[in-house]
Amino acid sequence: MRNYELRITNYELIYTAVNNFIEISDVVKQYDGHLALDHVSMNVPQGCIYGLLGPNGAGKTSLIRIINRITHQDSGTVMLDGRAITDDDVAHIGYLPEERGLYKKMKVGDQIVYLARLKGMDKTSATGEMLQWLERFDLGEWRDKKLEALSKGMQQKVQFIATVIHRPRLLIFDEPFSGFDPVNADQLKAEILRLKQEGSTVLFSTHNMESVEAICERITLINHSRVVLEGSVDDIRQQHKQGILAVDLARGETLQPCDTLYTLLPAAMGSRETLVRLNPGVSMHDAIAWLNDHCALAGFHEILPSMHDIFVNTVKDQNHGQA
Amino acid sequence: MDKLKLIIAREYMSMVGRKSFIIMTILIPILMIACILLPIGIGYLNTEGSETEDVAVIDQTGRYGGAIQDTDLYHFIALRGDTIADPRAFYDKSDGRLTAVVIIPQDIDSVHQLTIYSDKTINSSLKMTLGRQLSDTLTRAHVASYGVPNLQKMIDESSVDVDVKSVKWGEDGTETETSTEIAMGIGFFLAFLIYMFVLMYGAMIMNGVIEEKTNRIVEVIVSSCKPFQLMMGKIIGVALVGLTQLAIWTVVMLALSVVAGSMLGLALGDTLGMAGDPAAVQAALAQGGNADMSGIVQAILGVNYLQIFTSFVFYFIGGYLLYAALFAAFGSAVDQANDASQFTTPIIIVMIIALYAGMACIDNPNGPMAFWCSMIPFTSPIVMMVRLPYDVPLWQLALSIVLLFGTATLTVWIASRIYRTGILLYGKKTGFKDLLRWLRH
């Protein structure tokens, strides 16, 4: 199946065919009377970095385990690259679970090669790749050490290598940045972007909304086993904007209230900007025009809601609706 | 299939490479030898270390006191009964130098009883020493009292020890000398081997499963292979580790017995080589002129080794598979080894029952208990091994093996269903009820 998406670039209309790498339709999964996934559908385009969001217990891990062929859905379909997923497809998937672990008593190099071979690589190429990856992460000298001799951060890197070594076309990361210090998290982020450039599709499961804004192109938000929000990060932020404007006035001026157009919001600490919320029905254009007439406007910009706020509000609204 | 091989290889290498494997391989035979030597050693220390104790024997008959011989433990001081009026006062006066006072009463010839007095608890070795010595002396006195010349000598010479030889009639008319003691020994040794192996390596499998679960590596592995492959890989890998250990011991034992054998002028290898032809062995032995040896060797050769060892392989594999699958399933259900005891205790109880049933079967290898315990798959690997040297009907052997492998296959299937759910569940305390629920998933 192909979705046609309309994009406007440089005032030219172009139609781009978007290949969905994963297509999940109507998946239902039940455990012991508890509905873990309630008719969930999700499309992840080829080469996309896709965020799978949701509070704890929403059903993210259940969905990820189904894609990984660890468990199976009760009903619904999972398609990979245009055909129904099979057990052999695990060779094309790299999975970094949230709860990580490796064999403590096994040597770093042996461990990576073992996991790579389980994914179907042959011994020679697995060994070659392992050496390259260890060098890239400055872990070359640790190859013959047992895993337990490594620091936690180094162990996380080893786990990352084990996830990507077989050049999977689909990468699934569950909370990849937890347990990484900022320097290592940046290195990890760079590696993920590099893998995307090399053609991998990346599925992210996370609560870390900053990382979602920073790298995800599209997201699906799951709450209480259902999809509650889906789309590109930009579109979602546009849709959820609440008409908040940051106004920067010339030195010495203060913004006058105007009940017909907007209400003043408490200003952020240490900021020269004043925040206003436009009244319902007031267009941005009208408000700017009025402000321009009445004060010495130095600058202005619209504030888009953060993914964090959208996440929290959507989940809260939904929980309210249910209660 | 390739994945299964990879998993087996990893399990095998990770265990054989460990220090604990090398240590256990050396330690277990030493422990076993120690188990045999220890009682002997303790008995030796018991007599060797202690000092001789003095025991006063007040002989009111005046005939038997002097006949009591000193032993390593006791020095007997014979006293005439009429010299000591109050034995109690005599004992107290000794200030603890005397351990006990023995009174041989006037009428011992008719009542056959004597008494030991002491303010300490009298130990059984003193009672046994006195009992044995006086029984002997009194018997001789009785014999002598008949006044028949040389009667004691006649009795001694007419005492006969009957040696019971057992010969098995083969269908082709051959006669084979059998030895129940040797058969019993071999059967019980092999049964015990299965018992040890199942418990030791079963526990190893369980710990391996728990380790993978608590390490959280299991989710990474099962995203690459089926949980069933991981479970079977572990079971087979651990079995190979055990077989390696057995092979090492066998080679060492053979080497030692060849050395010992060549010292005795009888290499075990030669004997085994001639096993198919008892006559040749007989001839070879007759040449050596060692009749006793020839009897033992004939008895050893009388046991149907081919049947015993073929059956051993089947029971070993079947019994191991059955219990290993259970251990794997139970390991998957808990978060740490401490929580596993509620599941492992029943297994260990069943194993111990099997071992005791096996011991009991030695007395009645074809009785109803022996029959049923050698059919029930949870006890058959041990009990049947004990029964085997006593010529179990072939249909029983076949039925027992079929039942064992049928149950083992079913257990592996059940275990794999529990395992695939258990390994991904954390933080919940699980009981047998939960396992049944997972089974139905």
Side-chain angles (χ1 to χ4, degrees):
Chain A
M1 205 208 288
R2 281 171 176 223
N3 284 356
Y4 288 91
E5 204 175 70
L6 186 62
R7 282 187 184 163
I8 301 168
T9 320
N10 293 337
Y11 307 102
E12 271 180 306
L13 277 180
I14 36 169
Y15 287 97
T16 24
V18 180
N19 251 331
N20 282 330
F21 193 64
I22 316 174
E23 285 179 20
I24 292 166
S25 332
D26 230 14
V27 162
V28 176
K29 176 76 189 175
Q30 198 156 6
Y31 290 109
D32 273 332
H34 160 72
L35 198 58
L37 293 172
D38 183 4
H39 298 276
V40 167
S41 299
M42 178 173 91
N43 292 327
V44 180
Q46 167 95 54
C48 176
I49 298 189
Y50 198 98
L52 179 60
L53 319 180
N56 287 325
K60 288 174 302 191
T61 305
S62 297
L63 186 61
I64 287 174
R65 283 182 177 165
I66 287 172
I67 301 171
N68 267 315
R69 309 288 293 168
I70 294 174
T71 50
H72 300 279
Q73 66 271 30
D74 300 336
S75 66
T77 55
V78 178
M79 309 274 279
L80 191 82
D81 205 13
R83 50 189 178 73
I85 194 164
T86 66
D87 283 346
D88 292 336
D89 286 320
V90 295
H92 307 302
I93 302 176
Y95 174 39
L96 183 72
E98 179 177 6
E99 297 282 1
R100 284 155 222 174
L102 294 166
Y103 291 109
K104 288 200 179 78
K105 306 262 179 209
M106 207 170 168
K107 285 177 187 166
V108 171
D110 291 348
Q111 186 138 230
I112 295 172
V113 171
Y114 171 63
L115 292 171
R117 290 180 71 193
L118 267 188
K119 284 287 188 188
M121 277 181 103
D122 65 79
K123 197 176 177 179
T124 324
S125 51
T127 310
E129 286 286 316
M130 177 269 291
L131 291 173
Q132 281 183 22
W133 275 102
L134 284 181
E135 284 308 320
R136 182 175 285 152
F137 280 105
D138 293 327
L139 290 170
E141 60 194 295
W142 296 91
R143 182 185 149 198
D144 286 326
K145 296 277 192 312
K146 284 185 182 166
L147 187 90
E148 59 189 356
L150 273 65
S151 73
K152 196 164 178 244
M154 289 194 278
Q155 292 187 16
Q156 299 265 32
K157 287 180 183 176
V158 172
Q159 186 114 39
F160 179 81
I161 296 171
T163 310
V164 302
I165 187 168
H166 57 292
R167 297 178 183 276
R169 298 173 65 200
L170 173 63
L171 284 160
I172 301 175
F173 296 118
D174 202 345
E175 293 295 349
F177 300 113
S178 73
F180 275 94
D181 62 47
V183 177
N184 285 329
D186 275 351
Q187 188 182 7
L188 191 64
K189 202 180 285 175
E191 285 301 331
I192 292 172
L193 289 172
R194 197 176 63 82
L195 288 163
K196 172 203 149 79
Q197 245 135 44
E198 286 176 8
S200 297
T201 305
V202 181
L203 182 63
F204 250 112
S205 164
T206 185
H207 314 289
N208 183 340
M209 293 302 141
E210 281 168 37
S211 66
V212 172
E213 275 169 36
I215 56 178
C216 289
E217 296 154 59
R218 299 182 72 87
I219 60 123
T220 284
L221 175 58
I222 297 183
N223 191 31
H224 289 302
S225 320
R226 286 203 199 123
V227 174
V228 290
L229 198 60
E230 196 276 328
S232 83
V233 172
D234 288 343
D235 289 351
I236 287 172
R237 292 181 71 189
Q238 287 291 339
Q239 282 158 18
H240 284 76
K241 66 185 176 188
Q242 293 173 312
I244 293 172
L245 204 57
V247 183
D248 188 11
L249 297 175
R251 193 170 290 274
E253 285 224 35
T254 46
L255 188 61
Q256 299 306 312
C258 176
D259 293 341
T260 52
L261 289 174
Y262 55 81
T263 42
L264 284 172
L265 295 174
M269 286 281 267
S271 166
R272 271 164 35 95
E273 293 177 341
T274 314
L275 295 180
V276 298
R277 173 182 280 129
L278 302 185
N279 292 344
V282 175
S283 76
M284 185 78 61
H285 182 265
D286 291 348
I288 303 293
W290 189 87
L291 281 170
N292 203 21
D293 288 348
H294 291 80
C295 6
L297 202 54
F300 62 90
H301 61 98
E302 193 181 12
I303 304 253
L304 287 176
S306 68
M307 283 308 292
H308 176 89
D309 293 339
I310 296 171
F311 178 95
V312 171
N313 289 333
T314 310
V315 169
K316 252 194 214 159
D317 285 353
Q318 217 216 357
N319 291 359
H320 261 285
Q322 287 202 340
Chain B
M1 220 41 212
D2 282 345
K3 288 182 183 177
L4 184 62
K5 266 189 228 155
L6 267 174
I7 296 166
I8 293 171
R10 197 209 77 85
E11 285 298 330
Y12 183 81
M13 291 314 292
S14 75
M15 286 207 191
V16 170
R18 270 185 209 175
K19 275 194 205 102
S20 61
F21 174 81
I22 299 158
I23 292 170
M24 289 303 274
T25 307
I26 300 167
L27 216 58
I28 287 174
I30 292 176
L31 278 176
M32 278 176 124
I33 293 167
C35 280
I36 298 164
L37 292 183
L38 211 60
I40 301 171
I42 287 173
Y44 177 75
L45 283 178
N46 206 11
T47 49
E48 204 37 38
S50 55
E51 279 184 26
T52 318
E53 293 174 16
D54 289 336
V55 175
V57 180
I58 301 174
D59 179 15
Q60 293 174 343
T61 65
R63 278 172 290 142
Y64 299 129
I68 299 173
Q69 305 284 316
D70 287 353
T71 67
D72 287 342
L73 289 173
Y74 302 107
H75 171 59
F76 296 104
I77 306 159
L79 298 160
R80 285 171 54 95
D82 49 8
T83 58
I84 288 155
D86 184 357
R88 174 84 210 228
F90 176 74
Y91 177 76
D92 288 344
K93 224 168 52 190
S94 81
D95 264 340
R97 271 176 288 132
L98 282 180
T99 304
V101 171
V102 178
I103 296 184
I104 303 175
Q106 203 88 53
D107 55 356
I108 189 163
D109 287 307
S110 52
V111 299
H112 303 157
Q113 199 175 52
L114 59 83
T115 317
I116 307 174
Y117 296 93
S118 176
D119 60 0
K120 305 180 195 80
T121 312
I122 291 149
N123 71 42
S124 58
S125 75
L126 178 58
K127 280 164 90 172
M128 270 165 57
T129 307
L130 282 169
R132 204 174 45 235
Q133 292 209 25
L134 274 164
S135 303
D136 228 34
T137 313
L138 257 68
T139 309
R140 282 172 185 276
H142 274 208
V143 170
S145 71
Y146 290 113
V148 181
N150 292 334
L151 181 58
Q152 184 64 46
K153 199 175 162 228
M154 284 149 75
I155 290 173
D156 287 348
E157 280 174 355
S158 47
S159 149
V160 172
D161 242 348
V162 176
D163 182 26
V164 182
K165 215 166 98 170
S166 46
V167 171
K168 201 173 99 188
W169 276 332
E171 278 167 25
D172 49 354
T174 55
E175 289 184 3
T176 331
E177 208 171 310
T178 61
S179 160
T180 33
E181 287 79 15
I182 286 166
M184 191 183 85
I186 290 171
F188 199 76
F189 174 74
L190 294 179
F192 193 72
L193 209 60
I194 294 179
Y195 170 82
M196 280 237 320
F197 196 88
V198 166
L199 277 189
M200 252 177 57
Y201 289 96
M204 222 179 255
I205 288 173
M206 195 176 74
N207 290 333
V209 172
I210 294 172
E211 189 195 336
E212 279 175 356
K213 196 179 158 180
T214 47
N215 268 356
R216 308 276 175 151
I217 190 168
V218 72
E219 191 151 354
V220 175
I221 306 274
V222 294
S223 72
S224 305
C225 71
K226 307 253 107 201
F228 181 75
Q229 289 172 319
L230 181 57
M231 188 184 89
M232 280 318 282
K234 194 169 274 298
I235 290 176
I236 297 171
V238 169
L240 293 179
V241 174
L243 290 175
T244 307
Q245 206 158 41
L246 275 185
I248 294 173
W249 291 336
T250 310
V251 168
V252 170
M253 244 163 60
L254 277 179
L256 285 179
S257 57
V258 165
V259 172
S262 62
M263 281 184 208
L264 291 169
L266 172 79
L268 188 72
D270 289 349
T271 322
L272 288 179
M274 285 186 278
D277 185 7
V281 180
Q282 194 97 57
L285 287 167
Q287 270 183 350
N290 192 338
D292 262 1
M293 206 61 181
S294 122
I296 293 169
V297 170
Q298 253 242 319
I300 292 176
L301 293 175
V303 180
N304 189 345
Y305 289 100
L306 187 68
Q307 191 197 41
I308 287 182
F309 285 106
T310 321
S311 311
F312 173 71
V313 170
F314 277 110
Y315 282 108
F316 189 87
I317 294 172
Y320 170 78
L321 210 57
L322 177 65
Y323 281 99
L326 286 177
F327 275 112
F330 293 153
S332 77
V334 294
D335 286 351
Q336 45 181 319
N338 294 345
D339 300 338
S341 59
Q342 55 158 336
F343 297 120
T344 51
T345 311
I347 298 189
I348 292 168
I349 289 173
V350 170
M351 294 289 294
I352 289 173
I353 289 174
L355 199 63
Y356 276 100
M359 286 188 214
C361 286
I362 292 174
D363 290 333
N364 189 6
N366 292 310
M369 190 197 68
F371 173 76
W372 288 109
C373 285
S374 60
M375 287 300 138
I376 298 167
F378 289 93
T379 52
S380 68
I382 289 172
V383 176
M384 191 57 108
M385 280 322 294
V386 177
R387 278 188 70 197
L388 263 184
Y390 301 96
D391 282 313
V392 176
L394 202 62
W395 69 267
Q396 285 188 16
L397 186 62
L399 179 62
S400 163
I401 288 179
V402 167
L403 282 175
L404 176 63
F405 275 83
T407 313
T409 313
L410 184 70
T411 309
V412 167
W413 180 80
I414 288 172
S416 74
R417 290 184 72 88
I418 292 172
Y419 180 85
R420 66 174 191 194
T421 307
I423 46 171
L424 295 173
L425 280 186
Y426 295 99
K428 269 207 242 165
K429 205 126 176 68
T430 42
F432 278 103
K433 257 191 212 158
D434 299 295
L435 300 192
L436 281 178
R437 224 181 48 235
W438 298 349
L439 198 56
R440 286 198 297 266
H441 268 311

Coordinates of all heavy atoms in Angstrom, one line a residue, chain B residues 6 9 16 19 21 32 45 104 124 157 193 217 256 264 321 359-360 421 441:
Chain B
L6 N 24.2 -22.7 17.7 CA 24.9 -21.6 18.3 C 24.7 -21.5 19.8 O 25.6 -21.3 20.6 CB 24.4 -20.3 17.7 CG 25.1 -19.7 16.5 CD1 24.4 -18.6 16.0 CD2 26.5 -19.3 16.9
A9 N 26.4 -24.3 21.6 CA 27.8 -24.1 21.7 C 28.2 -23.1 22.8 O 29.1 -23.2 23.5 CB 28.4 -23.6 20.3
V16 N 32.1 -25.1 30.4 CA 33.4 -25.9 30.4 C 34.6 -25.0 30.7 O 35.5 -25.4 31.3 CB 33.5 -26.7 29.1 CG1 34.9 -27.3 29.0 CG2 32.5 -27.8 29.0
K19 N 36.1 -22.0 35.9 CA 36.9 -22.7 36.9 C 36.1 -23.7 37.7 O 36.6 -24.8 38.0 CB 37.4 -21.6 37.9 CG 38.7 -20.9 37.4 CD 39.4 -20.2 38.5 CE 40.2 -19.0 38.0 NZ 39.6 -17.7 38.1
F21 N 33.9 -25.7 36.8 CA 33.8 -27.0 36.1 C 35.0 -27.9 36.4 O 34.9 -29.0 36.7 CB 33.6 -26.8 34.6 CG 33.6 -28.1 33.8 CD1 32.5 -28.9 33.7 CD2 34.8 -28.5 33.2 CE1 32.5 -30.1 33.0 CE2 34.8 -29.7 32.5 CZ 33.6 -30.5 32.4
M32 N 33.8 -38.6 46.5 CA 33.2 -40.0 46.5 C 34.1 -41.0 47.2 O 33.7 -41.8 48.0 CB 32.9 -40.5 45.0 CG 31.6 -39.9 44.5 SD 31.4 -40.4 42.8 CE 29.8 -41.3 42.9
L45 N 40.4 -44.0 63.8 CA 40.7 -42.9 64.7 C 40.0 -43.3 66.1 O 40.6 -43.0 67.1 CB 40.1 -41.6 64.2 CG 41.0 -40.9 63.1 CD1 40.3 -39.7 62.7 CD2 42.4 -40.6 63.6
I104 N 30.0 -60.9 87.4 CA 29.6 -62.2 86.8 C 29.0 -63.0 87.9 O 29.6 -63.4 88.9 CB 30.8 -63.0 86.2 CG1 31.5 -62.1 85.2 CG2 30.4 -64.3 85.6 CD1 32.8 -62.7 84.7
S124 N 28.2 -49.1 74.0 CA 27.8 -50.4 73.4 C 29.0 -51.3 73.1 O 28.9 -52.5 73.1 CB 27.0 -50.2 72.2 OG 27.7 -49.5 71.2
E157 N 35.2 -78.8 63.4 CA 35.5 -79.4 62.1 C 34.2 -79.6 61.3 O 34.2 -79.6 60.1 CB 36.2 -80.7 62.3 CG 37.7 -80.4 62.6 CD 38.5 -81.7 62.9 OE1 37.8 -82.8 63.0 OE2 39.7 -81.7 63.0
L193 N 24.3 -42.7 39.6 CA 24.9 -41.8 38.6 C 23.8 -41.0 38.0 O 23.9 -39.7 37.8 CB 25.6 -42.6 37.5 CG 26.8 -42.0 36.9 CD1 27.8 -41.6 37.9 CD2 27.4 -42.9 35.8
I217 N 19.0 -10.4 29.7 CA 19.5 -10.6 28.4 C 18.5 -11.4 27.6 O 18.4 -11.4 26.3 CB 20.8 -11.4 28.3 CG1 21.4 -11.3 26.9 CG2 20.7 -12.8 28.8 CD1 22.8 -11.7 26.7
L256 N 43.4 -45.8 35.2 CA 43.9 -46.3 36.5 C 43.7 -47.8 36.6 O 44.6 -48.4 37.1 CB 43.0 -45.6 37.6 CG 43.4 -44.1 37.9 CD1 42.5 -43.6 39.0 CD2 44.8 -44.0 38.3
L264 N 48.3 -56.5 38.6 CA 47.8 -57.8 39.1 C 48.0 -58.8 38.0 O 47.5 -60.0 38.1 CB 46.3 -57.6 39.3 CG 45.9 -56.8 40.6 CD1 44.4 -56.5 40.6 CD2 46.3 -57.5 41.9
L321 N 16.1 -35.5 30.4 CA 15.3 -34.6 29.6 C 14.0 -34.2 30.5 O 13.6 -33.0 30.5 CB 14.9 -35.3 28.4 CG 14.6 -34.5 27.1 CD1 15.8 -33.6 26.8 CD2 14.3 -35.4 26.0
M359 N 16.6 -48.8 46.2 CA 17.3 -49.6 47.2 C 16.4 -50.8 47.6 O 16.9 -51.9 47.8 CB 17.6 -48.7 48.4 CG 18.7 -47.8 48.2 SD 19.1 -47.0 49.7 CE 19.6 -45.4 49.2
A360 N 15.1 -50.5 47.8 CA 14.2 -51.5 48.3 C 14.0 -52.6 47.2 O 13.8 -53.8 47.6 CB 12.8 -50.9 48.6
T421 N 6.4 -17.7 28.6 CA 5.7 -16.7 29.3 C 6.5 -16.2 30.5 O 6.7 -15.0 30.8 CB 4.3 -17.2 29.9 OG1 3.6 -17.8 28.8 CG2 3.5 -16.1 30.4
H441 N -2.3 -20.3 28.0 CA -2.2 -19.2 27.1 C -2.1 -19.5 25.6 O -1.3 -20.3 25.2 CB -0.9 -18.4 27.4 CG -1.2 -17.3 28.4 ND1 -2.2 -16.4 28.3 CD2 -0.6 -17.0 29.6 CE1 -2.2 -15.6 29.3 NE2 -1.2 -15.9 30.1

